[in-house]
Amino acid sequence: LRLNLVAPFICIQTLVKKRIEYNRIRNNDDPFGIVILGSNTSYIAKTNTAAYGASKAGVNHMAACLNRELALKGYFVTTLNFGPVSGTDMDRVTRAELHWQRGWDDEQYENEIVKNIPQRRFTTREEIAETAWFVINHGRMFGGRGVNFDSGQQQG
């Protein structure tokens, strides 16, 4: 909870204060977007993920509330909710856990995990970066809601 919910909240508070001060000194009102990394686990109940899922659901709600509070100042806050991402720390931890629990090797892990993903693939770090860039440039149209992209996992 501290890492996924409290830390982003404190960082956003600090960032907004600094940006308001920056804009005041520069005498401008440049709009500003904030993107928080979420997870589709905020919507999908999974075994052994209660704290993680609850913290990510909290991130979605925090983004919606902060977006509402900051909109009048020209800022927006949006969450990116994505599915499993290959090559990340979470991916390595999950692989190790399932190897220990079920004896899965890397091939079994990938085959079993993607069974519940209609597109049969993991999200990539590059896709997260590209989506974050898109949201920063067009974030007002999302109105503080999470952007969900997970290769269709929430449907599967």
Side-chain angles (χ1 to χ4, degrees), residues 7 79 114:
T79 307
V114 299

Side-chain angles (χ1 to χ4, degrees), residues 12-78:
I12 290 168
Q13 277 185 318
T14 303
L15 182 66
V16 169
K17 286 177 187 175
K18 296 287 184 187
R19 185 60 187 221
I20 289 171
E21 180 64 17
Y22 174 84
N23 283 349
R24 188 187 62 73
I25 291 168
R26 300 270 186 301
N27 198 27
N28 68 34
D29 290 326
D30 289 340
F32 189 73
I34 299 168
V35 174
I36 308 169
L37 298 181
S39 170
N40 70 354
T41 304
S42 63
Y43 300 106
I44 300 171
K46 297 178 182 177
T47 306
N48 299 322
T49 63
Y52 178 76
S55 69
K56 290 301 188 176
V59 165
N60 285 327
H61 190 74
M62 177 179 67
C65 292
L66 288 173
N67 187 73
R68 189 174 188 95
E69 291 173 22
L70 298 171
L72 294 176
K73 293 181 174 78
Y75 305 126
F76 64 88
V77 183
T78 302

